[in-house]
Amino acid sequence: MRMYDLLEKKKNGGILTKEEIDFMIQGYTHGDIPDYQMSAMTMAICFQGMNPQETGDLTLAMRDSGDTLDLSGIRGIKVDKHSTGGVGDKTSLTLAPLVSSVGVKVAKMSGRGLGHTGGTIDKLESIPGFSTELTMDGFIRQVDTIGMAIMGQTADLAPADKKLYALRDVTATVDQMALIASSIMSKKLAAGADAIVLDVKCGSGAFMKDRKGADALAEAMVSIGRHAGKQVWAYITDMDQPLGNAVGNAIEVREAIETLKGQGPEDFRKLVLTLGSRMCIFAGVAKDFDSAYALLSEQLHSGKALEQMARFVEAQGGDPSYVLDEKKLKIAANVMPLTAKKDGVVSAIACAEVGMASLALGGGRETKADTIDPEVGILLHKKVGDAVRKGDVLAEIYYNDDRKGEEGLKRLEAAYRIGEAAPEKRPIILGEVKG
Ligand code: URA
């Protein structure tokens, strides 16, 4: 088999077979196929597309290019969740303890943040003592005994995707649906769960800006799940404004814990309960959506979900007193308000711009080598649709460095739009694609 012939075939709209895709991905991973041929292929795929069979085969080839986690040592059904990323997305912090408090096993590998979206690992590390550096044996033992664990990615999962993504990034071939869906799903499938719930974000702060793109990505990923013989269900959820009210690291952990106490912002709580209900059904813990939703709501109100968070934090070396009293989590002492310049209604909050404001404060990374300041962040007091009077506080900025604080405030100011009338309300759950 020759890569040249596969390029000719795809250029002319042909369908690649499983053998051809395996040959291509194995050859590329091992360095036998050079970047210039692979970049010609990704561009050909941009123009000619890939059908669901090819997309599924590509995903499995990338999944099998490196380590795949064996979670068989964990009793019960392991359910994973993946979000395509957004601003203020602290979902895993609340969702994992919530669902594991009713018996869903969650073995989660998470990443650090880069650019305008934050990472679960960075957020968790704002809890004193907390470590995500577990051995694989320790990780499996912890999930088996207490029901959940979150660790940083150490295993060499889907190395073909890592190499291919870097190539796509510099050859203007990131934004092709089959390539995106296979990239995400190859890593998820390598992480070994029995079932996966996907949170496909849609809006100004998301990878997919509109419904058409978000729906297509959700469909493609669910179809890959079917191809791989896994249960996968996708929700399309709003990311046209930040999720909840807190954006940053320690400040998001505080909000995640408040939500575990049955408080917290309504949009965030609803998202967590929706994703969690589907996870409960996949795990066989509940028989239908409504009973799962009621069960999880009760766990928030009874304090059981909070207890599970404390257990999880302690198991990973963190101080559980910070879970029981989240106000102990240190937030920067300097606060600056952003105030409304006129009367009106918040008509939009440019979501990515809020993420950039948090980044400017030092709450995120521009390059992988940057360190983050866990204490800085943003608290939104007004969200889209809220009426405001001139002088009202729209949001507050928590900062440690005056220059960064000014820069963050400038960016946050640019994010808020005050109009005359309330825009049409967007629900947090915009749609779903059933598995
Ligand atoms: N995230 C990924 O992991 N892969 C893509 O291709 C796009 C977003």
Side-chain angles (χ1 to χ4, degrees), residues 127-159:
I127 302 171
F130 191 91
S131 170
T132 55
E133 287 173 24
L134 305 180
T135 62
M136 194 48 72
D137 281 351
F139 176 68
I140 286 175
R141 207 175 321 114
Q142 185 178 316
V143 181
D144 192 46
T145 51
I146 74 158
M148 69 168 290
I150 300 181
M151 74 182 286
Q153 189 176 309
T154 49
D156 192 21
L157 300 185

Side-chain angles (χ1 to χ4, degrees), residues 142-177:
Q142 185 178 316
V143 181
D144 192 46
T145 51
I146 74 158
M148 69 168 290
I150 300 181
M151 74 182 286
Q153 189 176 309
T154 49
D156 192 21
L157 300 185
D161 171 65
K162 196 184 260 176
K163 207 170 162 191
L164 195 56
Y165 191 84
L167 186 73
R168 287 164 57 211
D169 207 22
V170 293
T171 53
T173 55
V174 167
D175 62 348
Q176 202 283 335
M177 206 54 73

Side-chain angles (χ1 to χ4, degrees), residues 165 168 179-180 183-184 187 207:
Y165 191 84
R168 287 164 57 211
L179 295 178
I180 298 171
S183 163
I184 295 173
K187 289 170 286 204
F207 200 60

Side-chain angles (χ1 to χ4, degrees), residues 197-237:
V197 175
L198 298 167
D199 179 5
V200 179
K201 303 286 190 195
C202 173
S204 66
F207 200 60
M208 292 295 153
K209 308 287 179 215
D210 59 27
R211 261 316 280 281
K212 199 161 163 260
D215 284 357
L217 180 58
E219 296 273 1
M221 292 197 289
V222 169
S223 156
I224 290 170
R226 235 173 266 133
H227 189 88
K230 299 270 182 193
Q231 288 187 291
V232 178
W233 194 289
Y235 287 94
I236 296 114
T237 75

Side-chain angles (χ1 to χ4, degrees), residues 102-374:
V102 294
V104 181
K105 295 288 173 67
V106 183
K108 193 148 184 52
M109 283 217 168
S110 282
R112 295 185 182 279
L114 190 62
H116 78 276
T117 62
T120 299
I121 299 285
D122 297 317
K123 290 170 196 178
L124 280 168
E125 283 177 351
S126 52
I127 302 171
F130 191 91
S131 170
T132 55
E133 287 173 24
L134 305 180
T135 62
M136 194 48 72
D137 281 351
F139 176 68
I140 286 175
R141 207 175 321 114
Q142 185 178 316
V143 181
D144 192 46
T145 51
I146 74 158
M148 69 168 290
I150 300 181
M151 74 182 286
Q153 189 176 309
T154 49
D156 192 21
L157 300 185
D161 171 65
K162 196 184 260 176
K163 207 170 162 191
L164 195 56
Y165 191 84
L167 186 73
R168 287 164 57 211
D169 207 22
V170 293
T171 53
T173 55
V174 167
D175 62 348
Q176 202 283 335
M177 206 54 73
L179 295 178
I180 298 171
S182 57
S183 163
I184 295 173
M185 290 300 287
S186 63
K187 289 170 286 204
K188 278 286 119 179
L189 293 174
D194 302 306
I196 304 163
V197 175
L198 298 167
D199 179 5
V200 179
K201 303 286 190 195
C202 173
S204 66
F207 200 60
M208 292 295 153
K209 308 287 179 215
D210 59 27
R211 261 316 280 281
K212 199 161 163 260
D215 284 357
L217 180 58
E219 296 273 1
M221 292 197 289
V222 169
S223 156
I224 290 170
R226 235 173 266 133
H227 189 88
K230 299 270 182 193
Q231 288 187 291
V232 178
W233 194 289
Y235 287 94
I236 296 114
T237 75
D238 186 47
M239 192 37 74
D240 218 32
Q241 62 175 333
L243 179 61
N245 301 327
V247 179
N249 291 282
I251 201 166
E252 285 195 38
V253 179
R254 279 191 182 190
E255 189 166 84
I257 294 171
E258 281 161 18
T259 307
L260 282 166
K261 291 181 171 175
Q263 303 149 18
E266 201 192 322
D267 61 342
F268 178 54
R269 189 170 55 247
K270 183 158 186 199
L271 175 67
V272 167
L273 287 169
T274 302
L275 300 174
S277 298
R278 189 58 53 195
M279 292 172 82
C280 287
I281 297 168
F282 274 163
V285 166
K287 62 179 186 328
D288 59 42
F289 188 85
D290 289 347
S291 61
Y293 204 94
L295 173 69
L296 294 181
S297 302
E298 180 50 30
Q299 293 298 103
L300 295 180
H301 291 110
S302 66
K304 295 267 172 44
L306 185 75
E307 280 170 25
Q308 175 67 349
M309 176 73 168
R311 208 173 288 129
F312 152 64
V313 165
E314 190 165 26
Q316 294 196 209
D319 181 345
S321 70
Y322 285 76
V323 175
L324 304 176
D325 178 8
E326 74 280 5
K327 296 280 185 301
K328 280 179 73 176
L329 286 164
K330 197 156 179 279
I331 305 289
N334 304 309
V335 191
M336 242 185 316
L338 171 70
T339 53
K341 301 286 178 292
K342 60 178 185 182
D343 293 355
V345 178
V346 178
S347 56
I349 303 175
C351 199
E353 201 59 37
V354 179
M356 296 307 283
S358 174
L359 189 65
L361 295 174
R365 286 188 190 81
E366 274 170 80
T367 69
K368 277 189 191 164
D370 290 349
T371 52
I372 63 157
D373 181 348

